[in-house]
Amino acid sequence: MSVELTTAEHQGVHVVSIKGRVDSANADELERGLTYLFSKPGDRAVVNLGELDYISSAGLRVILLLAKRARQNAGRLVLSSLAPQVRVVFEISGFLKILDTAADYESAMKLLAA
Amino acid sequence: VKPAPPSAPASAGEAHRERLRALTRQAILQVAEAVVLRAGLGALTLDGIAAELGLTKQELHDHYASREALVGELALQEWTAAADAVHEATQAASSAEDALESLVRSYVSRYTGRLKMFQLATQFTSLSPLAAQLGREHLDAIRPLNDRMYGPTEGKLRHAQAAGRAASSLDPRRLAFIAHTSAMGLLLMQSMVSDLDDSLRHSESRLADELCRVLRQLSAAALRVQEELALARDMQLALLPSDFPRGADWSMHARMLPARELGGDFYDVFSLPDGRFGLLVADVSGKGVAAAFFMAVSRTVLMDVAADGGAPHEVLARANDMLCLRNPKELFITVCYVVFDPATGALEYASGGHPPPLVRREDGRVDVLPACHDIVLAVMPEMPYRTLHASLGSGDTMLLFTDGITEAFSSAGEAYGDDRLLDWLSTSQPATGPRAMVDALVADVHRFVDDAEASDDLTCLILNREAKSGMGTIPQPVQMTDKTVLLDYSLHPTQLPQIAKLAQAVDRALSSRPDLAFSANLCLEELITNIITHGLKGQADHLICIRLSLSVEWLEIVLKDDAPPFDPFGQAAVPDLDLDVEDRPIGGLGVHLVKTLMDDARAHHDGSGNLIVLLKAAQKKSDDATV
């Protein structure tokens, strides 16, 4: 079991899907895979977590770093399609209060278009 | 829609001519057969046939360009008719045995009084060089005819084999072929003597009776041998112990899989007078009945000698001397004999021509214990052997095996080999217990050889000393009744990449409760990374033990390390969850996640290390259905 990253671009928005599990052993790998996001001012990105089975605080750290970079570069980040168990981890961490989330990809794109 | 008009008159005339032609051809073959039966093949000439049928030479030539062509077709027609006759007779047979008999009888009776046609059909190719050329085509044509001739017999034999009424060691096709060629041989003998002297002739039916009797005896003998071998196999496997001794912190298991009905491998496990245990794995050269007998003798001798409690090298030396006196077939035997002291984990071992024991250390390293380089047993008396010493620590696993594992070959001809065995042992899961490990190894070898036939007996013996979890008395914040331990697992700080492997084990252990498995995995990972970075401060050579237990009310997760006193729950600051993205510190979430996900989380230092006990209510809460 490992983490799998697929990236695409749609209507000027970076679309990233994180699949599998993100733990302390592979969080660095994820971090490297996401460095290209928010490298330019005004970048917009949807991170789809629909097939993310597991995330620990090591993975939350990577997401928080991404959100900080988005804020610094006047970009926008939306997390979409969080599975129930993953959602609870984000909630306990207080991330749902400070990060934009959407139920699915379409609503994430709408949120970014607004 | 009108039906299609009848064919044109021109083509009706064509069809008529074709019919006439076929009739003529048939008449030619009939006359030719009559000539052969009456006066022999030598009397058959194209001129004679033409005269008998009132045809001109040219007319006959239009049908058969040469005498060989005519004889060739006559032979093929005879094979076809014989195949049809045998097919029908065997199809009607009520059993496999009857089918074999019908095959012989219908074939032989076809040529009673028609021996010259048998000669023609079977000896056609020896007639002339041209006939040899035609003969090759003739043979190609015969193959499908044989399929037809043997088909029903083969089918009935296969059916009988599946039902255990016929020996599966005999190939049905070959058996049908043997019955057919035996009948041919019988007819060949008949045709030889009939050319010489009629008084030497026997009745075909009497000879066929005799042949059928022999075939029946052969089938019955093969079946009896098979049944006897199956019985011998059961008895041989019953000789090997199937109950294994075990202690509070050690257990073992072994298995022998013979390549054929009978094997030459064996293992044995017995207690010694001083409270230690003797463990044996051995491989007798050769296979089959001789090896199996020698295996039984060797096992008795080794057990007798070992029962006195001598050192391993003395046991092998004395057994060697005794076996040299009882070895009429000049077989030999390789042995590894290990004496295990459960009180200390000490191992003493000696080996005669056998691979040394492998020991998997608790951290997954595998040690190949030093080889003894002493000679195989039963070859030469008064040979010296030596005893070597090793030790099995807590959490270590010893594997004894025979070359049926390392020399198991895949269908591509590749051997399983030492490296694959070492890798398997290194990544094996001793926590699953020796029985599951033995099964896993056998399954791994079987996967590797795929469908290839086993070339040798396969034996392995696994001895586990359980990991010292040191969990001893776990402080109980709540009373847990009917607690079941679901998982015992140990992990080295250097094995952080294996956190996913631990997660798989937890998922399996809690497969009925994926919700609990998720929380358990998250908390385990957070606490393990915490112990590594804060408790052990990156030092290697430590061990973290994990135990998962479940009762009706609670999931209990226990972690034990051997680090200096450290309380993750007391020291971690509570993160401020209300800070905005820019102000949130990176990190500090792990312990918070554990405390929130679990209903109770405590750490104790018990003098030898830190013990963390987590509890989570096993019943789903109505307001929080997901975690």
Side-chain angles (χ1 to χ4, degrees):
Chain A
M1 284 224 289
S2 58
V3 63
E4 195 187 314
L5 208 60
T6 50
T7 58
E9 204 176 320
H10 194 58
Q11 295 166 0
V13 175
H14 295 289
V15 181
V16 181
S17 290
I18 305 175
K19 294 183 191 175
R21 47 177 288 133
V22 179
D23 59 26
S24 41
N26 64 21
D28 290 351
E29 187 188 329
L30 177 68
E31 191 176 345
R32 282 195 300 277
L34 295 178
T35 44
Y36 80 100
L37 290 177
F38 308 112
S39 49
K40 303 192 299 288
D43 266 1
R44 291 177 301 161
V46 174
V47 175
N48 173 20
L49 303 180
E51 289 176 80
L52 179 66
D53 302 320
Y54 174 91
I55 188 164
S56 67
S57 64
L60 293 178
R61 176 184 163 275
V62 175
I63 300 290
L64 183 61
L65 284 171
L66 195 66
K68 281 176 187 276
R69 207 159 67 231
R71 194 67 68 88
Q72 282 156 13
N73 285 307
R76 280 206 71 188
L77 168 70
V78 177
L79 307 177
S80 84
S81 324
L82 283 73
Q85 293 185 325
V86 170
R87 188 177 180 84
V88 169
V89 176
F90 276 81
E91 186 176 5
I92 295 173
S93 312
F95 278 22
L96 294 186
K97 286 189 281 187
I98 52 174
L99 299 178
D100 291 327
T101 58
D104 51 38
Y105 171 73
E106 285 74 25
S107 14
M109 290 300 277
K110 265 187 215 147
L111 209 58
L112 284 177
Chain B
V1 180
K2 281 184 185 172
S7 49
S11 79
E14 181 70 23
H16 182 67
R17 265 195 302 282
E18 266 311 304
R19 256 199 316 279
L20 268 183
R21 207 178 143 72
L23 279 172
T24 311
R25 218 174 156 89
Q26 215 177 337
I28 295 170
L29 288 169
Q30 264 171 16
V31 169
E33 179 173 334
V35 170
V36 169
L37 289 175
R38 187 173 65 232
L41 187 55
L44 185 72
T45 61
L46 291 184
D47 288 351
I49 300 281
E52 200 160 326
L53 279 167
L55 297 173
T56 66
K57 276 189 197 179
Q58 187 52 50
E59 279 168 329
L60 183 61
H61 191 272
D62 284 347
H63 289 278
Y64 295 102
S66 69
R67 181 174 177 270
E68 282 79 12
L70 171 60
V71 174
E73 180 150 339
L74 197 56
L76 198 58
Q77 181 183 270
E78 180 52 40
W79 269 96
T80 310
D84 285 345
V86 170
H87 183 93
E88 261 169 51
T90 50
Q91 186 80 282
S94 59
S95 68
E97 281 196 329
D98 287 347
L100 273 177
E101 186 164 335
S102 297
L103 196 160
V104 171
R105 288 193 190 283
S106 59
Y107 191 77
V108 169
S109 71
R110 175 168 182 82
Y111 295 110
T112 306
R114 293 178 72 248
L115 267 178
K116 291 202 167 66
M117 280 308 287
F118 169 76
Q119 286 171 307
L120 176 101
T122 53
Q123 293 152 52
F124 162 69
T125 53
S126 60
L127 296 177
S128 75
L130 175 60
Q133 168 58 37
L134 287 169
R136 266 191 285 281
E137 294 162 18
H138 187 84
L139 274 181
D140 286 340
I142 280 172
R143 262 180 221 113
L145 292 178
N146 282 355
D147 289 344
R148 177 158 172 77
M149 188 185 284
Y150 304 158
T153 308
E154 274 183 77
K156 286 179 166 56
L157 276 166
R158 243 178 230 114
H159 192 72
Q161 285 177 342
R165 281 183 280 107
S168 50
S169 53
L170 300 173
D171 179 68
R173 172 81 181 193
R174 281 186 199 157
L175 210 54
F177 176 75
I178 285 167
H180 176 213
T181 49
S182 309
M184 282 171 73
L186 190 149
L187 290 167
L188 178 64
M189 292 301 291
Q190 286 291 69
S191 59
M192 282 165 70
V193 293
S194 72
D195 282 350
L196 298 172
D197 183 349
D198 250 16
S199 68
L200 287 173
R201 292 194 55 182
H202 303 275
S203 107
E204 279 98 353
S205 67
R206 237 196 63 212
L207 284 172
D209 286 348
E210 188 64 18
L211 182 55
C212 289
R213 205 170 60 82
V214 171
L215 281 172
R216 274 184 198 277
Q217 280 174 345
L218 271 177
S219 309
L223 184 58
R224 200 174 59 240
V225 167
Q226 179 170 311
E227 285 168 353
E228 296 277 331
L229 282 175
L231 189 64
R233 176 199 169 103
D234 290 348
M235 291 193 60
Q236 187 183 36
L237 289 176
L239 279 180
L240 304 179
S242 53
D243 283 330
F244 297 90
R246 59 178 304 150
D249 68 341
W250 59 274
S251 53
M252 63 176 84
H253 195 78
R255 236 173 121 179
M256 190 273 270
L257 296 177
R260 296 202 215 150
E261 281 89 350
L262 292 174
D265 275 12
F266 66 94
Y267 61 84
D268 212 340
V269 178
F270 38 81
S271 58
L272 297 171
D274 58 5
R276 297 189 297 168
F277 288 86
L279 287 70
L280 260 176
V281 162
D283 180 1
V284 172
S285 63
K287 286 189 261 304
V289 177
F293 266 100
F294 199 56
M295 167 247 162
V297 171
S298 307
R299 179 172 174 264
T300 310
V301 165
L302 279 160
M303 242 180 113
D304 269 6
V305 175
D308 295 344
H313 70 279
E314 294 164 353
V315 170
L316 292 198
R318 281 179 53 206
N320 177 48
D321 291 347
M322 292 173 75
L323 286 171
C324 285
L325 300 173
R326 293 169 173 79
N327 186 6
K329 289 285 174 200
E330 312 247 319
L331 295 169
F332 62 84
I333 169 172
T334 73
V335 187
C336 187
Y337 176 49
V338 180
V339 173
F340 165 61
D341 186 345
T344 62
L347 301 173
E348 291 181 356
Y349 65 98
S351 151
H354 203 89
L358 303 179
V359 174
R360 180 195 190 274
R361 300 301 175 189
E362 190 173 17
D363 60 4
R365 269 181 305 123
V366 174
D367 290 338
V368 181
L369 296 189
C372 300
H373 301 297
D374 290 325
I375 192 171
V376 297
L377 275 67
V379 169
M380 204 185 294
E382 289 171 35
M383 295 306 293
Y385 292 87
R386 83 201 75 184
T387 291
L388 296 179
H389 299 263
S391 107
L392 202 64
S394 294
D396 289 356
T397 300
M398 181 185 73
L399 169 65
L400 296 179
F401 63 99
T402 60
D403 59 8
I405 290 183
T406 45
E407 286 166 30
F409 287 93
S410 69
S411 40
E414 193 191 352
Y416 187 78
D418 293 334
D419 291 346
R420 215 170 256 111
L421 180 60
L422 295 178
D423 284 350
W424 175 84
L425 188 57
S426 172
T427 56
S428 63
Q429 284 291 331
T432 59
R435 188 193 190 100
M437 284 182 80
V438 163
D439 290 346
L441 176 55
V442 169
D444 197 55
V445 173
H446 281 171
R447 250 195 313 281
F448 175 77
V449 304
D450 202 6
D451 277 339
E453 199 179 336
S455 48
D456 202 354
D457 308 332
L458 183 162
T459 301
C460 55
L461 184 154
I462 282 177
L463 167 65
N464 273 355
R465 274 192 96 197
E466 273 157 34
K468 263 211 183 70
S469 63
M471 288 178 183
T473 46
I474 296 166
Q476 295 270 313
V478 293
Q479 193 61 41
M480 285 174 70
T481 49
D482 295 329
K483 182 167 84 171
T484 316
V485 175
L486 298 178
L487 181 70
D488 267 318
Y489 202 95
S490 52
L491 192 92
H492 274 261
T494 48
Q495 292 174 320
L496 195 56
Q498 296 198 12
I499 205 99
K501 233 176 179 172
L502 166 64
Q504 278 175 6
V506 170
D507 286 343
R508 270 197 302 275
L510 278 167
S511 59
S512 60
R513 294 293 305 272
D515 54 329
L516 289 180
F518 185 93
S519 304
N521 275 324
L522 190 63
C523 295
L524 281 170
E525 185 191 334
E526 300 301 350
L527 290 172
I528 288 166
T529 51
N530 206 54
I531 291 169
I532 291 170
T533 46
H534 301 296
L536 300 173
K537 301 197 163 40
Q539 299 169 64
D541 215 26
H542 284 271
L543 198 63
I544 302 168
C545 299
I546 294 143
R547 173 173 291 175
L548 245 61
S549 314
L550 189 65
S551 72
V552 178
E553 293 99 3
W554 301 102
L555 169 69
E556 183 193 59
I557 303 169
V558 182
L559 287 100
K560 174 76 196 279
D561 64 34
D562 51 359
F566 168 74
D567 181 354
F569 305 119
Q571 300 186 5
V574 179
D576 184 350
L577 301 182
D578 293 326
L579 293 177
D580 194 15
V581 171
E582 286 139 319
D583 305 320
R584 276 293 288 269
I586 297 162
L589 274 174
V591 170
H592 170 70
L593 284 170
V594 175
K595 281 176 151 174
T596 315
L597 285 173
M598 293 289 137
D599 293 300
D600 191 84
R602 299 165 196 228
H604 314 261
H605 193 267
D606 68 356
S608 65
N610 299 291
L611 193 67
I612 296 172
V613 182
L614 309 175
L615 286 174
K616 183 168 176 69
Q619 303 304 321
K620 294 182 190 185
K621 292 173 213 157
S622 53
D623 61 335
D624 181 9
T626 51
V627 170

